[in-house]
Amino acid sequence: MRALRLLDWKTEPVLVEVDEPIPGPGQVVVRIGAAGACHSDLHLMHDFEAGAVPWNPPFTLGHENAGWVHALGQGVTGLDIGQPVAVYGPWGCGTCARCQLGIDPYCENVAAAPVPGGGGGLGLDGGMAEYMLVPDARHVVALPAGLDPVLAAPLTDAGLTPYHAVRRSWGKLPPGSTAVVIGVGGLGHVGIQILKATTAARVIAVDTREAALRLAEECGADLTLPSGPDSAEEIRRATGGRGADVILDFVGADPTLALGAAAARTVGDLTIVGIGGGTLPVGFFAVPYELSIQTTYWGSRPELEEVLDLGARGLVRPKASTYSLDDALTAYHKMRDGTLEGRAVIVP
């Protein structure tokens, strides 16, 4: 079969022929219907080097995956050949307390995981191929009726990651509250939809690009603001001087972190989702009183099921452009150049 593989750090992936996977006991092979292209893949190609993460190339890209069950290993129950499924991306040890709750991103026994701190498309072969081997059937989640794999695939990360970030702040998003989304890209535009679908908060979107702000409006943002030196003041003006109850930073660079801290309300949440490499000085008088600042990584398997339900009901729908395996690099180049709107999905 054909697969888009990263062969070494700081190189672009190549399309090569590899053997079709065969499932062992407890494993599942999924026929891929769609694999999302993620901005973090660009970091794998251009920024990472040996020692940056506890795994190395070569491996097939694609950590957002959906399709149909193709083959079942010995002992697998609860799945049927041909059944539409999504693949839960982070793969932990499966036995620690957090993995047993389905919170594999925070596995506490990573040495026993299939790949430490990674998963399919992140150290092991992912879904940018015709078939994908999933090493444990518990990572295969049935798709709700009516949800196409092309829409389901990006929900496994671009939906799950912002959903987890929003969900942890639900208690601070009652009627009358305000949430700010900084960065309306592949994750941010889905985050806006999740906020509108699951909370009563007013949503403000901030971005440097006019096209991104138009997309934010399409996704339900109540107010859009071009990013600039006055953005924090404009957010405070829009919130009666109080600031935003919850700020979700999908960029994570120095300027956006500073904006988040300046625009946050006391006792608010500032959640850093983007991996832009920024830092934020924290001190007693440096941020609003009792502002909670946290990072977040992916989400739990039960949360993925909730996100897929939102997708099946039409409440969350990533803006996706489809590309063939032959054109996958075109999608990544558009992502790199900032000309990709929404999410790219590779259809083998």
Side-chain angles (χ1 to χ4, degrees):
M1 67 175 184
R2 299 191 307 158
L4 188 71
R5 292 177 62 79
L6 186 68
L7 301 182
D8 203 354
W9 297 126
K10 296 191 174 180
T11 65
E12 291 200 330
V14 294
L15 193 58
V16 298
E17 290 283 335
V18 298
D19 292 335
E20 290 185 14
I22 299 173
Q27 298 180 337
V28 179
V29 172
V30 174
R31 178 167 65 88
I32 295 296
C38 183
H39 195 276
S40 60
D41 292 337
L42 294 180
H43 293 286
L44 298 179
M45 300 174 197
H46 304 300
D47 301 327
F48 286 14
E49 54 189 25
V53 290
W55 33 266
N56 289 293
F59 54 85
T60 301
L61 290 173
H63 57 266
E64 299 181 335
N65 303 296
W68 303 270
V69 174
H70 177 70
L72 299 172
Q74 182 181 359
V76 175
T77 59
L79 294 170
D80 299 315
I81 302 298
Q83 180 179 0
V85 293
V87 179
Y88 180 58
W91 297 342
C93 70
T95 58
C96 74
R98 290 181 175 173
C99 284
Q100 289 186 14
L101 292 172
I103 315 174
D104 287 59
Y106 306 138
C107 172
E108 295 185 309
N109 186 20
V110 294
V115 58
L122 298 168
L124 290 178
D125 289 340
M128 290 195 183
E130 296 169 67
Y131 300 97
M132 176 183 179
L133 177 67
V134 182
D136 193 317
R138 69 192 181 91
H139 300 312
V140 178
V141 178
L143 289 188
L147 183 60
D148 187 272
V150 170
L151 291 178
L155 289 177
T156 62
D157 181 7
L160 177 58
T161 296
Y163 181 77
H164 176 73
V166 170
R167 196 181 196 278
R168 65 180 296 166
S169 292
W170 274 353
K172 296 183 180 181
L173 294 170
S177 64
T178 300
V180 171
V181 170
I182 302 175
V184 190
L187 273 69
H189 85 285
V190 182
I192 292 170
Q193 296 178 54
I194 290 167
L195 284 163
K196 300 300 289 187
T198 67
T199 80
R202 184 186 187 203
V203 178
I204 299 175
V206 182
D207 203 293
T208 58
R209 302 161 298 159
E210 290 185 11
L213 296 178
R214 289 195 297 271
L215 178 58
E217 291 178 348
E218 294 174 12
C219 292
D222 299 286
L223 175 66
T224 60
L225 298 173
S227 183
D230 299 325
S231 297
E233 182 180 343
E234 292 176 5
I235 291 170
R236 290 200 171 274
R237 187 180 304 117
T239 56
R242 297 187 303 271
D245 300 88
V246 173
I247 296 180
L248 303 168
D249 184 351
F250 289 96
V251 180
D254 284 342
T256 59
L257 294 175
L259 168 60
R265 187 179 184 182
T266 55
V267 200
D269 281 354
L270 170 56
T271 300
I272 305 166
V273 183
I275 54 175
T279 57
L280 178 67
V282 176
F284 192 88
F285 296 110
V287 297
Y289 294 136
E290 292 197 34
L291 177 67
S292 296
I293 302 171
Q294 56 261 325
T295 58
T296 185
Y297 180 57
W298 234 315
S300 70
R301 193 164 55 253
E303 287 172 332
L304 174 57
E305 295 177 0
E306 295 172 7
V307 171
L308 294 174
D309 178 74
L310 292 174
R313 294 162 58 196
L315 297 174
V316 175
R317 186 182 180 93
K319 184 178 180 66
S321 304
T322 58
Y323 297 81
S324 67
L325 269 176
D326 294 301
D327 293 329
L329 280 180
T330 299
Y332 281 119
H333 291 163
K334 288 184 177 181
M335 191 185 302
R336 178 198 61 197
D337 298 338
T339 58
L340 180 69
E341 189 174 274
R343 208 70 173 167
V345 177
I346 311 305
V347 179

